[in-house]
Amino acid sequence: MTATTEHPSPAAPAAPPEKGRGLFSRALEALLTQRVVLLVVLIVLLLVGMSILDAAGVLSGSFNADYLASALISAVPLAMLGLAQLMVILSGRGGIDLSVGSMVSLTGVVFGFAYGLWGWSLIAALVLAILVGGVCGAINGVLVAYIGFPPLIATLATYYAYRSLALVVSDQKPVNSPVIQDFYSAAQSVELPLIGGSLPLIPLGIFTFLIPTIVIVWLLLNKTTFGRRLYALGTNNVAATWSGINVKPNRMAVYIASGVISGLVAVVTVAQFASARPDAGTSGNGMALPSITIAVLGGVAITGGIGRVAGIVLSTLLIVWINASILLTLPGNDGTQFQLLALGVVLIFASLLNGLTRRKYGGI
Amino acid sequence: MSVDERGVSAPAVRATARRILPPPVTGQELVLVGVIVVLWVLLGLFTPAFLSAGSIRPLLVSVAPIALIGVGMTFIIITAGIDVSVGGAIMLCAVVTAKSLVDFDLALPLAIALSIGLGLLLGLLNGVLIAYGRVHAIIITFGTANIFQFLALRVFGSSTVNGIPGTFDVFGRGEAGRTFGVPHSFLITIVIVAVAWWYLRHTSGGRNLFAIGGNAQAARLAGIAVQPRILAAYALTGALVGLAACFFIAAGTSTLDQAVGSGRELAVIAAVVIGGTSILGGRGSVIGTLLGAILVQTVTSGVTQLGWPSQLANLFVGVFIIIAVGTDLLRQRARKAS
Amino acid sequence: MSPENVTATEPALRLELQGIVKSYGGVRAIRHADFAVRPGTVHALVGENGAGKSTLIKIIAGAERADAGSIVFDGVASTIASTADAIKLGVQTVYQEPQLFPELSVAENVFVGRELKRGLRIDWTAQADHMHELLGTVGLPDRIATVPVGSLSIAEQQQVSIAKALAGEATVLILDEPSAILTDSEIDVLFAVIRRLTASGVAVIYISHRLDELFRIADVVTVMRDGRTITTEPIGELSVRQIAELMVGGVVSESRPAQGETAGEVVLELDALSGADTFRNVSLTVRSGEIVGLYGLVGSGAGDIASVVYGIDRASSGRMLLSGEPVSIHSASKARRLGIHLLPANRSAQGSFSFQSIAFNITAGELKLLSRLPGWVTRRRERDIAREFIDRLAVKTPSQSSPLSSMSGGNAQKVVLARQLVKRPRLLVLVEPTQGVDVGAKEEIHRIISRLADEGTAVLVVTSDLGEVLRISDRILVVRDGEITAEFRPDATQVEILAAASGAESDPTKESA
Amino acid sequence: TSRNDDSGGGGGSTSGSDEPIRVAFVPKLQGIPYFEAMNSGGQQAADDLGIEWLYQGPTTADAAAQADIVRSFIQQDVDALIVAPNDPDSMAPLLQEAADKGIQVATSDTDAPDSVRQVFVNQASVQGIGEALTDSLMTAMGGSGKYAIVSCGETAANLNAWIDVQKEYTASEYPDAEIVDIVYAGEDQAAATSMATDLMNANPDLTGLVGECTSSAPGVAQAVKDAGKTGSVFTVGLGTPMSMAPYLEDGSSSASILWDVQNLGYLTAWAGLQLAEGNEFEATNDVSADLPAVEYDADTQVLLLGPPLEITKDNVAEFDY
Ligand SMILES: Nc1ncnc2c1ncn2[C@@H]1O[C@H](COP(=O)(O)OP(=O)(O)OP(=O)(O)O)[C@@H](O)[C@H]1O
Ligand SMILES: Nc1ncnc2c1ncn2[C@@H]1O[C@H](COP(=O)(O)OP(=O)(O)OP(=O)(O)O)[C@@H](O)[C@H]1O
Ligand SMILES: [Mg+2]
Ligand SMILES: [Mg+2]
């Protein structure tokens, strides 16, 4: 447990270790006050419930490990952008990044050109994508950290600007070529070496992009001084300054990080779509709002200073699997419509539960 | 401590009275007026017909619903909240109202009442959850946005609403829809903006919204009924969304499809922040919001009328947000420095 | 009023609390409190940090609800469910931390929640009128009315909060450590106000750690310890020392901390340093092992000198030398790299990471020490460091992972001080180090300071607490209107120093602590 | 893992020989009349041919959302899977996956050219649509004049293809006519309307407007009507009959170019059945009473519904979608 950096409320640790309290009541308190625990429980409930329905034979397809695994392909961009939002929101001062979707579109197009048309090597194109994403993020960072724009406004502006640029530079046509077609292999499902035979096929992106990102972000937040500075300035910007933390570069860094992750997601998306779409991150509801939803569902406090990597990972798993489950349960248009309901209800239920019970257990 | 024991001469008092009054218009608003005037002049020069009635009228018609919802959103953002569910709420109000126009051929007042009533209901739902749920507004409204969308899709029933009668034409279609050549939807918006401006500036209810946004804890300790006021702000926005939904139907075709309302939340928020309302709460103005909405619409239709690629419009919207808010920031810096 | 005639004419109780209990999650803030106030009296409430004073008055003010217990107001059993209820009863409160609206003007702040109306409209003229009068009462200039509160000093904000409390009709006025950040002359103004109110029958509840001043204003005193009300006595029956001992439940040593007279080489030298428009050509030196007291009334500019030394603000002219080397410090991080640490004046705004753990708060200033690998942190080291300083500063807490938000003012102050000591500083600047800190903790903090000095740290204490500056300084520099006007040795009298600090107009007939 | 036995015919409930053949269709977007009409056509076919017709579409015209649905149909191990891809490129690999699992794959309405789809059910040739649009607008405009196009999704492959045809065909066949601007309104009627208005203001001598998709077709007509330019500015578009009816009546829209969408749905379901049963397509196929002779081009593997159909105020009443 990282009470040190990550406890949203004085609840668990603040309470003196009373002898009398039974295991149950402490488990209950954890469930009610800690989002990560709640998410784990919800995921378990979902899996159990669906397996029962499956056994009862009311599903239109078998609910098995393969399906869950194949559904993870949409978890990759979601979780990665969720992690980007985690860092940005943690940094406080109303930190938020509405421009991630547009950055995905823009960097995706640039990557498409480099890799698909200019015949760059994958590595070179990847580096370019990271750079472009980093620059887009840096622009957000400068606006927010150095000029003092409220993040929501700065990134709302760049959301409009970047998405428009993506369309302009690509002449609003998906960038495409045989090379990019084959690049789909980077998103395909693969059998793990050694133990693979006994496991379902898992989308490659999980290993090539998601898990590395998870590990790096987790290490950054929990094991590095940067993480500490981040939690510090997210909790109290002034106090951070008086503690000798250079808040501006650190705050800027998280927006750059968000841009870089968006760059990586762009590459993932190009692989998944087997083409570089100038609206990849903005079509439909876009990627920004879902990623923010993932973050808040994962227990990130919108006011900054509170949030955990595990929360992001778990909330992504929950959402992705709920959606997949609904498709097997409800045929026709109902399925996709009820996905909206499920997302809304889960989000509100989880936040309300923790929000209200935090009071009972002595809140912030 | 009674009010009557005056320690000072009357004129001095009146002078202070004027000084402690909040300013009628902010510098931000003046800047916006300037920018808009310049743009209109330029567009007037470089396009064949931007300043013609045939161009300005539709512009005002598209501004009206955004500015109208913007009034509510300004109230909300002043209390340091936000509502990203307005898109979904518009969708739900619009489809329910349009369907009942088609199915029951409702009379105008009934239809308006229905739409506003439904919107109010949705706003109340948001308000209750936010004021009493101890959860940040953006989270709740992300949730309700999805739920409203779901409900709207159920009402649509996998189809569009066809053959909507012209009941709402009075809001701005044809001669019947105008007074002095100005579309009624815009006139209504102007009136509501004016009332909201007066309320925010001159009533304790209005001033308390600023207090809540500035420091909710302190507001509670000062004896302000914080939660009911927050609830009211969301309810108001809901009601305005209901009215705006009528405007959307009025301005639309005889067919209503699922795209109605989608993405409008960002358009409204953009208008509000361009108008100089601080997203951090405690500072804001409805006049600025109206100007912000006009600016955005001017840019988008200006780009098309100039014959530039329409996908450039968003780029300019982004740039204008930066410029508008940037100048605001710089002027505050300057004020702090002096 | 003197205690005698209070006990003589027994007026009915204005407010009576019985068997009050309140806990926050696991923390038992109030175990059992009985408390009764008479109209027209000043009732002092004292106790160590964390004794439960603020919690008790928050319950009276409706800011918190008691878990158990009864409240009787003017003889009627009442439930105070919200601050609105309390205000209806005429309970006006000045909280320990000013509760104001930074974006709004002073005028608006004062009337928030109690606007004067004509019909629906706010009656701006009436407010302006009343405003003028209130500012006069609390001794603030009229022009301040339109200034946004955010741009005022803490002291001014405190005075605005007092004006705010006076704006409504009061039957009970609660003051939670109003004097902590006020200068003596400002306190005199406050006391004048209080006397006027009590004369008109208002009951005043007055919390303070400056025990000496209680004897100037209070009629009755209630002592709290560990969430219990220990005793209630007419002030006349007790001495400062007795009160202090009731508070800590033991014997308080009066001994001045040992002062190492081994002042070494010059660490800090300011040479004709000037701030933007806050202070002018200030020259001073601090030697290693020496404690220099920089005494100035709030607003004198003493605090601004500290901010410049620590790199928060920029100097407009003059030089700053560190061990003889000229340095230009433009950020706190630079200052800390050079070994200059600072304990800020405004704990909650400048010092606390409120909902982060105590361990986090202690180590936040010296992340480098958290691992041998640069840029890395290891939890074990963090735990060790935190434990060491929790012990050294005797911080009262169930666990080092408790959030700072759950601690009382004084304990929080110790945690923020610990942050400055994790790495031994060359120069330690302390701004109001014991503001709002109880006698026990105050002693400990002073002892810690002089131990540091004995170990060779150069210490610069910026304070407006006369007793404190006399008690711990080896040399005392007095700042007035942004200039150093005098230097004293610790054997100087309070009167001399005060005269130098506040110009002629301060009254030399002030009893000393 | 159950991976291996899965390809056999997966979910317990769904396997079993007595079950009817299951043909699944994934539209670009649910809830718009166009695809819902295809759905009812497919349903009709299902009843006639005794197959099970599965229809599920995303709530936004979004490639990723559509992919999730396709994946779930693959998991349901349907017999034939037919898609109207939002993004042809991204659909190709998914169709490959389906084929690998032994599912028969096809496209309808919009093709995924370089994919493993066995057949593309084509409503009308790109050439045919582009030319029909141009011709009917030109008849209204009298063969000359300036016109503009209000398209929808900037990246919609088939809209862009039709626009290209319109450009060339106009240039070659109608030298006196000129396309002055092409704007993109998304799937948003309101945006289409105000952009059309802006176009008329920007080009006072504009005499024609094309609404390239089902949301912009009524949009441009409404704009003309509001501007009171009915009769001086002519519009055509790809609009569904019921949404266009009022505008066709009052003349603000001259014609809507479409095809019998229900028949397209019917043909799609029928094609799915043929694939599932492993039947070859003939050069001309007798599908139903309405579709006596549907042509099949073996080289391109395309089933062609027939020539596009011009909907005017005279025949608009015949359609109930
Ligand atoms: N259910 C899960 N599935 C996949 N990864 C997970 C899951 N739960 C946690 N992780 C990952 O395991 C790592 C540990 O999670 P987390 O960040 O919560 O650590 P922690 O509990 O805070 O430990 P510490 O106290 O060291 O911070 C992270 O990389 C997290 O993303
Ligand atoms: N919001 C809170 N959550 C948890 N514990 C709290 C909270 N507020 C106060 N406490 C605890 O209640 C006890 C009493 O706090 P209180 O502020 O009343 O002390 P105090 O007498 O005012 O101290 P000080 O003189 O330092 O202000 C302390 O132990 C404190 O840690
Ligand atoms: Mg962790
Ligand atoms: Mg206190």
Side-chain angles (χ1 to χ4, degrees):
Chain A
M1 278 304 310
T2 56
T4 331
T5 54
E6 296 173 339
H7 268 293
S9 79
E18 301 155 48
K19 325 279 163 301
R21 277 177 86 234
L23 187 67
F24 174 77
S25 76
R26 248 182 279 120
L28 182 68
E29 172 171 337
L31 174 66
L32 293 180
T33 54
Q34 288 182 53
R35 183 63 54 86
V36 173
V37 182
L38 178 62
L39 289 170
V40 173
V41 172
L42 288 177
I43 291 179
V44 172
L45 288 180
L46 175 71
L47 297 184
V48 172
M50 284 303 289
S51 312
I52 294 172
L53 290 182
D54 192 10
V58 295
L59 299 187
S60 52
S62 66
F63 183 80
N64 55 21
D66 300 313
Y67 185 49
L68 292 180
S70 71
L72 284 181
I73 192 166
S74 38
V76 176
L78 212 50
M80 289 175 72
L81 292 180
L83 291 168
Q85 297 291 358
L86 167 66
M87 292 206 275
V88 172
I89 297 174
L90 268 184
S91 72
R93 281 269 187 98
I96 198 161
D97 191 342
L98 293 178
S99 70
V100 286
S102 304
M103 292 195 286
V104 168
S105 299
L106 186 54
T107 33
V109 169
V110 175
F111 174 82
F113 279 126
Y115 183 60
L117 302 184
W118 308 337
W120 288 27
S121 76
L122 179 56
I123 300 305
L126 187 69
V127 172
L128 180 66
I130 290 175
L131 284 180
V132 174
V135 171
C136 293
I139 293 174
N140 289 334
V142 170
L143 289 173
V144 171
Y146 286 90
I147 307 183
F149 276 82
L152 189 117
I153 295 174
T155 58
L156 179 64
T158 52
Y159 156 82
Y160 282 117
Y162 295 158
R163 77 179 280 181
S164 156
L165 282 177
L167 287 167
V168 173
V169 298
S170 68
D171 194 21
Q172 69 240 323
K173 289 182 187 54
V175 182
N176 204 337
S177 78
V179 198
I180 295 185
Q181 298 283 342
D182 306 338
F183 187 48
Y184 179 75
S185 56
Q188 229 150 10
S189 293
V190 296
E191 182 166 306
L192 296 179
L194 309 172
I195 51 161
S198 58
L199 287 174
L201 299 176
I202 297 180
L204 191 56
I206 296 280
F207 305 104
T208 50
F209 286 91
L210 180 53
I211 290 186
T213 315
I214 289 176
V215 170
I216 291 171
V217 172
W218 182 81
L219 288 175
L220 270 177
L221 292 187
N222 296 304
K223 300 294 176 210
T224 67
T225 55
F226 170 73
R228 287 314 180 78
R229 292 196 294 272
L230 186 51
Y231 280 103
L233 66 95
T235 308
N236 181 342
N237 199 61
V238 179
T241 316
W242 285 77
S243 309
I245 294 172
N246 289 329
V247 293
K248 287 179 181 174
N250 284 290
R251 176 164 280 112
M252 172 144 172
V254 296
Y255 287 89
I256 296 179
S258 171
V260 168
I261 294 181
S262 304
L264 292 171
V265 171
V267 177
V268 175
T269 322
V270 171
Q272 248 173 54
F273 288 170
S275 75
R277 301 174 51 77
D279 61 355
T282 42
S283 70
N285 296 335
M287 288 183 174
L289 301 193
S291 65
I292 295 167
T293 311
I294 286 293
V296 291
L297 180 58
V300 183
I302 210 77
T303 45
I306 301 170
R308 299 175 51 171
V309 168
I312 303 300
V313 175
L314 293 170
S315 60
T316 313
L317 292 178
L318 180 62
I319 290 305
V320 168
W321 283 343
I322 284 184
N323 286 341
S325 306
I326 289 177
L327 289 184
L328 285 191
T329 319
L330 298 170
N333 292 342
D334 292 0
T336 42
Q337 293 177 4
F338 273 89
Q339 288 179 338
L340 295 169
L341 179 66
L343 178 58
V345 169
V346 169
L347 183 59
I348 292 179
F349 163 77
S351 334
L352 278 183
L353 187 63
N354 290 165
L356 292 171
T357 50
R358 208 161 279 156
R359 189 182 305 164
K360 175 177 181 301
Y361 290 98
I364 312 161
Chain B
M1 307 279 94
S2 91
V3 188
D4 327 309
E5 7 168 311
R6 309 221 155 173
V8 284
S9 65
V13 168
R14 224 152 281 112
T16 353
R18 239 174 281 109
R19 278 195 288 106
I20 70 175
L21 255 169
V25 289
T26 66
Q28 178 72 0
E29 287 155 3
L30 300 180
V31 173
L32 282 173
V33 172
V35 174
I36 292 172
V37 168
V38 171
L39 279 180
W40 282 31
V41 169
L42 290 179
L43 286 167
L45 291 176
F46 294 104
T47 69
F50 181 84
L51 290 180
S52 69
S55 156
I56 296 299
R57 246 186 239 128
L59 185 142
L60 297 183
V61 168
S62 6
V63 164
I66 299 298
L68 191 62
I69 301 171
V71 169
M73 188 69 81
T74 308
F75 277 52
I76 288 176
I77 293 182
I78 284 174
T79 67
I82 193 157
D83 184 348
V84 293
S85 75
V86 289
I90 294 170
M91 190 174 170
L92 185 50
C93 291
V95 66
V96 169
T97 311
K99 238 191 161 53
S100 33
L101 277 176
V102 174
D103 297 352
F104 315 116
D105 191 18
L106 287 187
L108 180 67
L110 275 176
I112 297 175
L114 171 68
S115 191
I116 292 181
L118 178 56
L120 183 67
L121 212 66
L122 304 182
L124 280 170
L125 176 63
N126 278 332
V128 169
L129 291 175
I130 290 163
Y132 298 95
R134 274 200 152 203
V135 180
H136 191 284
I138 201 168
I139 302 178
I140 292 294
T141 51
F142 266 136
T144 51
N146 285 285
I147 295 175
F148 296 164
Q149 244 183 64
F150 163 78
L151 294 173
L153 288 176
R154 301 309 286 177
V155 180
F156 267 113
S158 297
S159 148
T160 51
V161 184
N162 294 316
I164 301 170
T167 318
F168 284 150
D169 286 358
V170 296
F171 283 130
R173 181 156 286 154
E175 280 311 322
R178 306 198 268 271
T179 305
F180 313 126
V182 184
H184 290 149
S185 58
F186 190 74
L187 288 177
I188 295 171
T189 306
I190 292 287
V191 171
I192 290 177
V193 166
V195 173
W197 172 86
W198 180 86
Y199 178 81
L200 283 179
R201 183 162 186 249
H202 284 299
T203 70
S204 57
R207 300 316 297 167
N208 288 353
L209 289 179
F210 290 91
I212 291 169
N215 180 350
Q217 165 70 355
R220 190 176 66 88
L221 295 178
I224 295 175
V226 173
Q227 289 165 319
R229 291 209 181 285
I230 290 181
L231 197 166
Y234 288 88
L236 170 73
T237 306
L240 292 176
V241 165
L243 183 53
C246 301
F247 292 0
F248 278 116
I249 296 174
T253 70
S254 66
T255 303
L256 187 81
D257 66 26
Q258 302 172 0
V260 62
S262 74
R264 292 285 188 259
E265 58 278 351
L266 291 187
V268 172
I269 294 171
V272 173
V273 297
I274 291 178
T277 297
S278 162
I279 205 80
L280 310 174
R283 195 163 59 81
S285 110
V286 287
I287 296 179
T289 299
L290 174 63
L291 295 170
I294 294 177
L295 179 58
V296 171
Q297 191 54 39
T298 303
V299 170
T300 34
S301 90
V303 166
T304 320
Q305 294 203 29
L306 286 166
W308 296 353
S310 56
Q311 55 272 29
L312 271 178
N314 279 330
L315 181 57
F316 290 107
V317 172
V319 171
F320 270 103
I321 294 178
I322 299 289
I323 294 175
V325 180
T327 48
D328 192 26
L329 285 171
L330 296 182
R331 276 189 298 99
Q332 285 176 46
R333 291 261 177 80
R335 208 184 318 124
K336 285 221 172 61
S338 66
Chain C
M1 287 182 203
S2 76
E4 286 64 39
N5 59 26
V6 171
T7 39
T9 68
E10 289 274 336
L13 292 177
R14 166 60 46 82
L15 178 69
E16 183 174 23
L17 287 77
Q18 268 178 347
I20 298 295
V21 178
K22 171 74 181 174
S23 38
Y24 297 97
V27 186
R28 313 265 306 274
I30 296 183
R31 290 160 194 276
H32 181 99
D34 303 323
F35 189 64
V37 197
R38 291 188 167 69
T41 64
V42 177
H43 195 134
L45 185 59
V46 299
E48 277 196 278
N49 297 121
K53 306 181 294 295
S54 297
T55 308
L56 184 60
I57 63 99
K58 279 180 192 158
I59 288 168
I60 300 174
E64 299 280 3
R65 289 201 70 170
D67 304 338
S70 68
I71 302 180
V72 177
F73 192 91
D74 280 336
V76 244
S78 333
T79 49
I80 302 181
S82 72
T83 47
D85 293 357
I87 290 169
K88 273 195 215 72
L89 291 172
V91 178
Q92 304 290 354
T93 312
V94 177
Y95 294 92
Q96 188 167 3
E97 321 277 347
Q99 298 290 343
L100 299 169
F101 309 96
E103 295 259 359
L104 298 185
S105 71
V106 169
E108 290 214 55
N109 265 277
V110 166
F111 290 104
V112 164
R114 38 178 78 68
E115 293 82 2
L116 309 177
K117 293 190 211 150
R118 196 193 299 125
L120 292 170
R121 264 170 122 277
I122 292 177
D123 185 340
W124 294 104
T125 320
Q127 285 198 1
D129 178 3
H130 197 180
M131 189 66 222
H132 169 84
E133 172 200 334
L134 287 168
L135 289 177
T137 319
V138 300
L140 283 171
D142 222 1
R143 51 162 182 73
I144 216 172
T146 50
V147 178
V149 157
S151 58
L152 300 181
S153 74
I154 330 168
E156 290 167 319
Q157 292 189 14
Q158 181 69 279
Q159 289 167 291
V160 172
S161 328
I162 295 170
K164 193 169 189 302
L166 301 181
E169 289 300 334
T171 57
V172 177
L173 175 66
I174 300 172
L175 300 154
D176 191 350
E177 297 187 32
S179 57
I181 51 179
L182 295 184
T183 63
D184 293 347
S185 54
E186 287 159 345
I187 291 175
D188 294 340
V189 175
L190 174 62
F191 283 3
V193 175
I194 292 178
R195 292 205 178 86
R196 260 199 20 235
L197 291 174
T198 46
S200 66
V202 177
V204 177
I205 303 172
Y206 188 93
I207 299 179
S208 175
H209 289 300
R210 296 188 176 181
L211 300 184
D212 54 327
E213 76 191 11
L214 298 181
F215 290 82
R216 293 172 52 204
I217 191 68
D219 305 304
V220 189
V221 57
T222 294
V223 181
M224 290 190 75
R225 189 198 312 149
D226 302 339
R228 288 196 170 72
T229 44
I230 301 300
T231 175
T232 301
E233 302 274 350
I235 193 85
E237 326 250 306
L238 295 169
S239 71
V240 173
R241 190 181 176 82
Q242 286 169 307
I243 294 176
E245 283 170 5
L246 283 166
M247 282 168 57
V248 298
V251 180
V252 183
S253 81
E254 285 275 304
S255 69
R256 291 166 56 104
Q259 285 178 358
E261 276 305 329
T262 58
E265 84 290 355
V266 173
V267 174
L268 175 72
E269 177 174 1
L270 301 185
D271 175 11
L273 199 70
S274 301
D277 50 10
T278 47
F279 60 90
R280 286 175 309 289
N281 65 68
V282 166
S283 300
L284 62 77
T285 63
V286 186
R287 301 169 167 282
S288 78
E290 180 185 40
I291 304 178
V292 174
L294 202 57
Y295 176 76
L297 308 178
V298 176
S300 61
D304 305 295
I305 298 174
S307 312
V308 168
V309 169
Y310 192 54
I312 298 285
D313 299 341
R314 296 292 198 86
S316 61
S317 69
R319 295 192 315 153
M320 170 170 166
L321 297 86
L322 206 59
S323 313
E325 298 295 314
V327 288
S328 85
I329 302 179
H330 37 67
S331 76
S333 58
K334 175 87 180 291
R336 293 185 85 90
R337 275 203 301 283
L338 294 168
I340 303 176
H341 294 187
L342 178 142
L343 175 74
N346 184 336
R347 178 174 57 245
S348 60
Q350 303 163 328
S352 341
F353 301 105
S354 54
F355 50 78
Q356 302 294 1
S357 71
I358 295 175
F360 180 102
N361 273 277
I362 291 177
T363 54
E366 297 301 335
L367 298 173
K368 283 192 186 58
L369 296 185
L370 289 182
S371 165
R372 266 182 234 77
L373 294 168
W376 215 243
V377 302
T378 56
R379 303 200 186 296
R380 194 178 37 71
R381 276 175 169 256
E382 178 187 36
R383 275 192 282 273
D384 299 347
I385 295 174
R387 192 176 300 107
E388 177 190 345
F389 282 89
I390 287 174
D391 298 346
R392 259 176 64 183
L393 276 67
V395 178
K396 292 199 201 73
T397 168
S399 126
Q400 58 165 266
S401 57
S402 313
L404 196 66
S405 58
S406 68
M407 307 185 77
S408 70
N411 279 308
Q413 181 75 349
K414 288 189 192 171
V415 170
V416 181
L417 174 60
R419 186 185 307 154
Q420 318 310 330
L421 309 182
V422 166
K423 183 155 172 249
R424 164 99 57 73
R426 275 160 85 189
L427 170 68
L428 177 60
V429 184
L430 304 129
V431 187
E432 306 292 354
T434 60
Q435 193 172 89
V437 169
D438 66 55
V439 277
K442 194 167 180 171
E443 278 225 349
E444 293 166 22
I445 290 178
H446 288 166
R447 218 178 278 115
I448 294 162
I449 294 173
S450 29
R451 196 189 315 134
L452 278 165
D454 297 344
E455 292 164 356
T457 308
V459 181
L460 179 64
V461 179
V462 180
T463 177
S464 54
D465 178 335
L466 202 40
E468 173 167 86
V469 76
L470 276 162
R471 188 150 184 272
I472 60 172
S473 314
D474 299 326
R475 276 190 301 134
I476 300 167
L477 303 173
V478 176
V479 184
R480 168 154 51 98
D481 304 340
E483 288 181 277
I484 292 187
T485 52
E487 171 162 355
F488 297 94
R489 305 217 44 82
D491 49 26
T493 72
Q494 298 206 349
V495 181
E496 294 171 324
I497 296 176
L498 203 60
S502 53
E505 73 282 343
S506 83
D507 70 326
T509 69
K510 197 177 268 98
E511 70 273 39
S512 58
Chain D
T1 174
S2 55
R3 183 191 325 153
N4 311 325
D5 47 68
D6 208 47
S7 49
S13 63
T14 61
S15 57
S17 50
D18 56 342
E19 298 255 337
I21 286 177
R22 299 192 305 153
V23 177
F25 174 60
V26 183
K28 290 180 175 178
L29 171 67
Q30 64 160 263
I32 67 173
Y34 180 87
F35 285 113
E36 297 305 323
M38 272 187 81
N39 184 24
S40 60
Q43 275 304 342
Q44 182 56 46
D47 302 344
D48 298 358
L49 307 173
I51 60 173
E52 187 179 350
W53 169 258
L54 303 171
Y55 170 91
Q56 189 166 51
T59 52
T60 58
D62 162 5
Q66 196 178 23
D68 291 342
I69 297 170
V70 171
R71 238 174 258 115
S72 98
F73 276 130
I74 296 176
Q75 175 70 8
Q76 296 172 39
D77 200 28
V78 295
D79 301 287
L81 174 56
I82 308 170
V83 184
N86 280 306
D87 176 20
D89 304 322
S90 65
M91 199 45 66
L94 274 167
L95 295 180
Q96 179 67 58
E97 248 176 65
D100 296 348
K101 276 186 93 183
I103 298 174
Q104 311 299 317
V105 294
T107 54
S108 180
D109 173 75
T110 306
D111 195 11
D114 16 340
S115 72
V116 298
R117 56 95 176 155
Q118 289 144 283
V119 61
F120 166 46
V121 184
N122 192 357
Q123 59 271 52
S125 67
V126 170
Q127 207 64 26
I129 295 170
E131 292 175 2
L133 276 170
T134 317
D135 288 332
S136 48
L137 180 62
M138 282 305 139
T139 18
M141 287 169 60
S144 68
K146 293 184 176 176
Y147 76 95
I149 298 175
V150 179
S151 186
C152 304
E154 288 97 343
T155 60
N158 50 352
L159 302 195
N160 290 335
W162 298 334
I163 292 173
D164 292 339
V165 174
Q166 287 164 270
K167 286 185 194 158
E168 294 157 12
Y169 189 68
T170 308
S172 59
E173 298 300 309
Y174 301 96
D176 306 344
E178 178 195 355
I179 301 178
V180 290
D181 201 354
I182 300 168
V183 297
Y184 302 85
E187 307 299 325
D188 182 342
Q189 277 191 16
T193 310
S194 57
M195 282 183 159
T197 312
D198 293 331
L199 286 168
M200 288 186 280
N201 287 316
N203 312 280
D205 52 353
L206 195 80
T207 53
L209 279 165
V210 179
E212 200 73 21
C213 75
T214 52
S215 66
S216 66
V220 296
Q222 183 67 59
V224 169
K225 192 173 162 187
D226 290 348
K229 293 194 173 173
T230 309
S232 55
V233 177
F234 304 91
T235 76
V236 301
L238 287 112
T240 42
M242 280 178 97
S243 69
M244 294 308 292
Y247 304 101
L248 291 166
E249 305 295 349
D250 66 29
S252 53
S253 170
S254 311
S256 172
I257 298 305
L258 208 64
W259 39 87
D260 188 315
V261 184
Q262 272 165 337
N263 280 349
L264 180 61
Y266 195 105
L267 180 59
T268 305
W270 177 84
L273 172 61
Q274 304 313 311
L275 293 176
E277 290 181 335
N279 309 339
E280 294 295 321
F281 294 107
E282 315 291 332
T284 60
N285 308 269
D286 179 0
V287 175
S288 72
D290 290 357
L291 299 166
V294 175
E295 291 175 6
Y296 176 71
D297 176 358
D299 313 335
T300 54
Q301 296 179 300
V302 172
L303 272 172
L304 187 63
L305 178 66
L309 133 95
E310 186 176 54
I311 301 171
T312 62
K313 62 176 179 310
D314 309 325
N315 64 350
V316 66
E318 299 163 15
F319 305 88
D320 64 349
Y321 56 88

